[in-house]
Amino acid sequence: MHLNRNWNLVMTAPVPVAAVFMAKWIVASLLILFVQALFMGLYGIAGLLLALPGPFPAETIGWALRGWYACLSISALQLGLSLRIRSFAVPVGFSLAAVLIGLGLYVAKWGLCFPYSLLTIGMHVLSRDALDPLQEALFWTMNAGYGVLFAAWFVRGLKVRDVVTA
């Protein structure tokens, strides 16, 4: 995106910055939804190939949907970082560090306060226990809040200051 001044071309196009961000975010969310559907398909195929008894567990569909929803806020943050930082490695390194912090906060029971913990909570990665109604409501609310916050923050930042300063 930042090679050959492509980002300068995008930023000078007669398209609002918010539309550029939202288009990229929507494409990313659709790709994540596709991956979650692929994951569910492979999960079902593995069950058939291994001849596991019983029907396909219906709760896994909820896990996948909550995982996709949690990825929306994370992808908004990662997209914003990628648009603002020219280096590819910095946003990836940030994500890796944030995942480790998120696991720590999840174990410390503070996971609902950190976007990278919300994926673990939504997909029940470390615990098959269902969320109580308050935790479920907080999960959906926190993800929506983080998504809106990160999108607004980075769109405003792109409007005020371009990525390339040279």
Side-chain angles (χ1 to χ4, degrees):
M1 184 66 171
H2 298 288
L3 297 176
N4 298 326
R5 305 282 184 215
N6 287 339
W7 186 242
N8 290 341
L9 292 173
V10 169
M11 292 302 287
T12 58
V15 178
V17 173
V20 173
F21 185 90
M22 290 303 294
K24 287 175 166 291
W25 195 20
I26 289 168
V27 168
S29 69
L30 291 174
L31 290 171
I32 294 166
L33 184 62
F34 172 74
V35 169
Q36 289 294 77
L38 182 64
F39 173 71
M40 286 290 95
L42 293 174
Y43 187 80
I45 291 170
L48 291 174
L49 291 175
L50 296 173
L52 295 178
F56 185 83
E59 67 265 12
T60 56
I61 296 169
W63 295 347
L65 288 175
R66 280 191 302 274
W68 171 73
Y69 190 69
C71 284
L72 294 179
S73 58
I74 295 169
S75 65
L77 176 57
Q78 287 299 132
L79 174 61
L81 290 174
S82 297
L83 292 176
R84 295 294 305 249
I85 301 169
R86 292 179 63 122
S87 170
F88 175 78
V90 174
V92 172
F94 176 85
S95 179
L96 290 173
V99 166
L100 294 175
I101 293 168
L103 286 173
L105 289 172
Y106 173 81
V107 170
K109 305 292 186 211
W110 284 92
L112 285 169
C113 300
F114 193 65
Y116 289 83
S117 300
L118 292 171
L119 180 59
T120 303
I121 292 168
M123 292 192 71
H124 297 276
V125 173
L126 301 177
S127 171
R128 291 197 61 200
D129 298 335
L131 298 174
D132 64 44
L134 177 62
Q135 289 174 325
E136 186 84 26
L138 279 172
F139 169 81
W140 293 98
T141 304
M142 293 300 284
N143 273 301
Y146 279 129
V148 169
L149 173 73
F150 295 145
W153 183 27
F154 285 110
V155 166
R156 183 183 176 284
L158 289 172
K159 284 181 181 177
V160 172
R161 185 169 48 114
D162 192 3
V163 176
V164 180
T165 58

